[in-house]
Structures are given as C-alpha cells and as structure tokens.
Amino acid sequence: MVRSSFIRVLAIGLPLALAACASAPAHINNVCAVFDQRDGWFNSWERAAKRTEAKYNIPVPVLMATVRKESGFKGRVRPPRTYLLGFIPWKHQSSAYGYSQALDGTWAQYVVETGNTSARRSNFADAIDFVGWYHDKSARTLGIARNDTYNLYLAYYLGRNAYARGNRGSAEVQRYARATDDMARNYDAQMQECGR
C-alpha cells in the first residue's frame, strides 16, 4: 500500500517537477518571487546563488541580474538564427547557450579551470557558478569592483580582452549594462524587503 502510494506520487510529481524546471519562472523582475518559484529540494536557485556569492564574493543581485539580462531565466535559450538567402534558417548568430549565454570556448575554459566536468549551461546552479567565476576574473584582472554591475556586465558582454583595450561597446550595449545595473539595484532592494 505504501509502495503503490509512493509510486503514484512519484509518477505525478516527477513530470510536474520537470515541467516546472523547463520553463522560465513567472515574475522574473522580482528576485524574491523567482527564488520562491525555484525552491526545490534538489534545485534551489537561492541556495545556488548564495553558494556562488560565497565562493566568488560577487553579490547575489549582481549574479541574478546578469542571468536575467542574458537569458530571462530560460535554460535552453540560444541567439537568433541567421538566414541563408534571406529565408532559409541557418546557423545561430553565436554559440551562446543556456542561462548564462556562455560561448562554447568560454564555457570550455570554465570547465577546465574549475574541474567541473559535468557542468551544463542549461543547469541553473552551473550557469550561475559560471557567471560568478567570470565576474570574479573580471574583478581580479580588470580591477572592477565586485558590486559594479554596469562594468562587470560590459566585461561579460564584450569579453575581458575587449574591455581591457578600452572597448565599452555601442550605445545599445551600454543601455544593456545600465538596465542590468538597474535590475541588480532593484533585486538588492527586493532581497532586503523580503528578508533574504
């Protein structure tokens, strides 16, 4: 009797849990709501974000705002495709993928340097760890303050080498960085308000 109840709960609960992980959370402009929606036993986004903050000393609002701007918290998102002859779907504009929109080469470097060989860009905990790792390297090599979302995002979006050469991107890229900075400030205020 207990075994059949357990199997029934598992049969219903597992697909629901997997479906919840497959889609972006609702209310993505409120970090407390995001954490509430992704507070599973095995997959707590808040625990993953705080673990990353402790590991790399990059504040949770900066980490979460970066992921929000890059992917809208969608785990399998890719950049748009290019079109051959204007109408035949062709290759994606870049190799960016997942929550962090990490490029293939940068992700490979992360895997080698961290030894996290099972890491996946479509796994939130791995992706936010990548963002922390990248921002930490930017802070150490470029002298950007760890809570300077605007410049950390510029270095993330343009690449550290371009940023080091003085490239600050187009007006549109700078708008992205300002929006990410605003989001981090909002997330910080929300976290204080909801006691996180």
Side-chain angles (χ1 to χ4, degrees):
M1 181 71 168
V2 171
R3 183 170 182 222
S4 66
S5 294
F6 175 75
I7 291 172
R8 197 172 304 129
V9 167
L10 192 61
I12 293 168
L14 188 60
L16 288 175
L18 292 174
C21 294
S23 61
H27 313 296
I28 61 175
N29 292 329
N30 185 316
V31 73
C32 299
V34 170
F35 286 152
D36 287 343
Q37 291 167 84
R38 293 297 186 263
D39 187 23
W41 291 335
F42 303 109
N43 187 21
S44 168
W45 285 16
E46 184 175 9
R47 279 197 309 269
K50 288 184 174 179
R51 194 168 45 243
T52 299
E53 178 183 54
K55 185 175 179 181
Y56 298 109
N57 199 24
I58 303 294
V60 167
V62 176
L63 297 167
M64 293 298 286
T66 302
V67 174
R68 160 68 175 89
K69 188 62 180 172
E70 286 296 288
S71 67
F73 297 117
K74 296 174 188 161
R76 299 187 187 281
V77 69
R78 291 186 184 277
R81 289 187 177 276
T82 56
Y83 287 86
L84 189 63
L85 304 174
F87 67 94
I88 302 170
W90 199 240
K91 298 177 182 178
H92 290 280
Q93 292 174 357
S94 79
S95 64
Y97 177 68
Y99 290 108
S100 62
Q101 288 296 283
L103 300 171
D104 288 351
T106 314
W107 187 262
Q109 180 186 2
Y110 161 77
V111 168
V112 168
E113 288 188 16
T114 62
N116 190 2
T117 56
S118 64
R120 295 182 338 268
R121 290 178 278 184
S122 59
N123 177 288
F124 181 81
D126 294 334
I128 202 160
D129 190 75
F130 170 86
V131 172
W133 168 83
Y134 198 95
H135 284 341
D136 173 61
K137 287 178 78 83
S138 296
R140 287 187 289 111
T141 62
L142 301 171
I144 301 171
R146 292 171 181 275
N147 63 349
D148 182 352
T149 310
Y150 178 82
N151 284 293
L152 286 172
Y153 185 79
L154 284 178
Y156 189 89
Y157 188 93
L158 300 167
R160 281 189 297 273
N161 290 337
Y163 186 94
R165 289 192 304 268
N167 182 352
R168 296 301 179 265
S170 65
E172 184 179 22
V173 170
Q174 291 174 25
R175 246 189 337 272
Y176 292 162
R178 276 193 299 276
T180 308
D181 183 56
D182 289 345
M183 185 59 64
R185 291 174 195 276
N186 289 340
Y187 280 177
D188 185 46
Q190 290 163 2
M191 287 180 70
Q192 290 180 40
E193 193 174 308
C194 72
R196 286 191 148 98

